[in-house]
Amino acid sequence: MATLVIMRHGESVWTDKAVNRFAGWVDIPLTDRGRVQAHHAGLLLREAGIEPVECMTSVLGRSIETARIVLDDIDRAWLPVGRTWRLNERHYGAFQGQTRPAMRERYGEEAFNLYRRSYDVRPPEIDRTSEFYQADDPRYGIDFADGLDELDPATIRSESLADLRKRLHPWWEAHVLPVLAKDRCVLIVTHGSVVRSIRMALEDISPEAIRSVNVPTGVPLAYHFAVGKDGIPRVSGEGHYLDEAAARIGIKATSELGTA
C-alpha cells in the first residue's frame, strides 16, 4: 500500500500565542518550540518505519526548515525535495501581518470568522503597496513558473479555501498521485490550510464542516492508499496522527488562537 504523510510546519514566530499574527505567504521562521516539534515528527516517522521516497514543501521557510529537520532525523537528508508555491498557506490578503485580535476588532466577530474559516469567502485583498505583498518576490517570478495552469502567483492578493483547492489540484494530479500509484511513500510538509484542503478531498468533508477543522503544528498525519487494477490510488481507511495526544493539544492551541 502507498502512504501519504502530510503535516503542518512546526510552530512559527507568528503562530506563537504571544504574537498571534496571520502569516499567509509572509516568510516567517520557526520558533525554538517549532524546531522541537519538527524533531519529534522525525522521531515519530522513524518509530513508525515510514521511509518517504518523495518529499514536497512550500516555498516558505517555516515549511522548508521543518522538512529539513525531519529528513535529517530519519537519515533521509539526501532525499531530493520538491518545492512549490502551490503548497503555500492560504493567502490571507489584507489580514497578512495583522494580529487576529486586531482583525476581529476591526471587522467584527461575524465577518472575522467568515473571512478566517469560511470555505469560499476571501478576506479583503492585500494592498499592492503593502510590505507583505509578494509581487516582486523572485520565488513567484516567471523563472519558476510550473506551467500547470494559467495562475500567476505573483498577482494573487487574497484566497479562500476554495481558491486554494483549485490551485492545489493540478499539482496534486501531476506530482502526488503518480508516486502513490507506484505504492510509494510521499511526505508533504506544508501549512494548516493546505492540510485542511487535502483532508476535505480524502475524507469527503463538507464546506460547512471544514470550518471547525483545526490543524496542529508539527504532527504528522498518515493515510494509506490502495492502488486498483486501473492504476488509480484511492485512500484506504481513515487518516491518523502519529501522536494523537500531541495532535489534540495542538488542535486546541490552534483553535484558541482564533478566539484570543
Side-chain angles (χ1 to χ4, degrees):
M1 298 185 72
T3 301
L4 170 69
V5 179
I6 56 174
M7 60 178 288
R8 185 182 177 190
H9 57 79
E11 181 189 73
S12 74
V13 171
W14 283 5
T15 51
D16 182 333
K17 63 182 179 181
V19 181
N20 198 7
R21 292 182 183 273
F22 286 96
W25 287 26
V26 185
D27 208 349
I28 304 302
L30 298 180
T31 62
D32 288 340
R33 181 171 181 267
R35 296 183 186 93
V36 170
Q37 290 176 332
H39 283 296
H40 182 58
L43 176 64
L44 293 171
L45 265 64
R46 180 186 289 275
E47 290 179 341
I50 294 174
E51 297 182 336
V53 300
E54 296 275 355
C55 179
M56 304 166 186
T57 78
S58 75
V59 295
L60 298 171
R62 56 194 186 273
S63 167
I64 293 170
E65 184 177 6
T66 299
R68 179 187 59 77
I69 292 171
V70 170
L71 290 177
D72 191 48
D73 287 356
I74 62 173
D75 294 330
R76 295 223 155 195
W78 48 266
L79 198 68
V81 178
R83 310 201 193 283
T84 174
W85 68 272
R86 293 178 191 270
L87 283 172
N88 276 17
E89 177 58 276
R90 176 160 72 101
H91 196 303
Y92 278 104
F95 281 33
Q96 292 191 167
Q98 309 304 315
T99 68
R100 288 173 178 81
M103 292 298 95
R104 178 186 291 104
E105 182 177 350
R106 179 180 302 179
Y107 292 99
E109 188 74 23
E110 183 177 353
F112 172 81
N113 287 325
L114 189 67
Y115 290 141
R116 178 174 179 259
R117 303 300 278 179
S118 69
Y119 176 66
D120 55 5
V121 176
R122 298 170 182 162
E125 291 187 343
I126 193 169
D127 192 284
R128 288 187 175 89
T129 64
S130 170
E131 63 179 304
F132 302 122
Y133 183 39
Q134 76 284 350
D136 296 324
D137 192 316
R139 75 192 87 184
Y140 307 115
I142 190 64
D143 290 339
F144 300 102
D146 57 25
L148 293 175
D149 55 25
E150 299 303 316
L151 284 176
D152 180 358
T155 64
I156 293 174
R157 296 176 60 198
S158 181
E159 289 181 306
S160 65
L161 192 61
D163 293 324
L164 190 155
R165 289 192 71 184
K166 182 177 179 181
R167 53 115 147 152
L168 187 64
H169 180 74
W171 173 85
W172 177 270
E173 294 281 323
H175 295 282
V176 179
L177 289 185
V179 182
L180 296 177
K182 297 177 182 178
D183 285 332
R184 302 298 181 87
C185 176
V186 178
L187 170 64
I188 297 177
V189 183
T190 181
H191 305 264
S193 294
V194 180
V195 176
R196 292 171 69 228
S197 176
I198 294 173
R199 287 190 61 183
M200 281 191 76
L202 298 183
E203 301 177 28
D204 197 25
I205 300 174
S206 70
E208 183 59 34
I210 198 64
R211 295 182 66 165
S212 62
V213 173
N214 288 288
V215 179
T217 53
V219 185
L221 174 63
Y223 292 89
H224 298 294
F225 289 75
V227 181
K229 292 181 179 180
D230 57 4
I232 298 175
R234 295 179 176 86
V235 68
S236 178
E238 298 181 353
H240 64 282
Y241 283 107
L242 300 188
D243 186 335
E244 295 286 355
R248 286 194 296 271
I249 292 170
I251 288 169
K252 182 175 183 292
T254 299
S255 177
E256 289 173 348
L257 285 177
T259 58

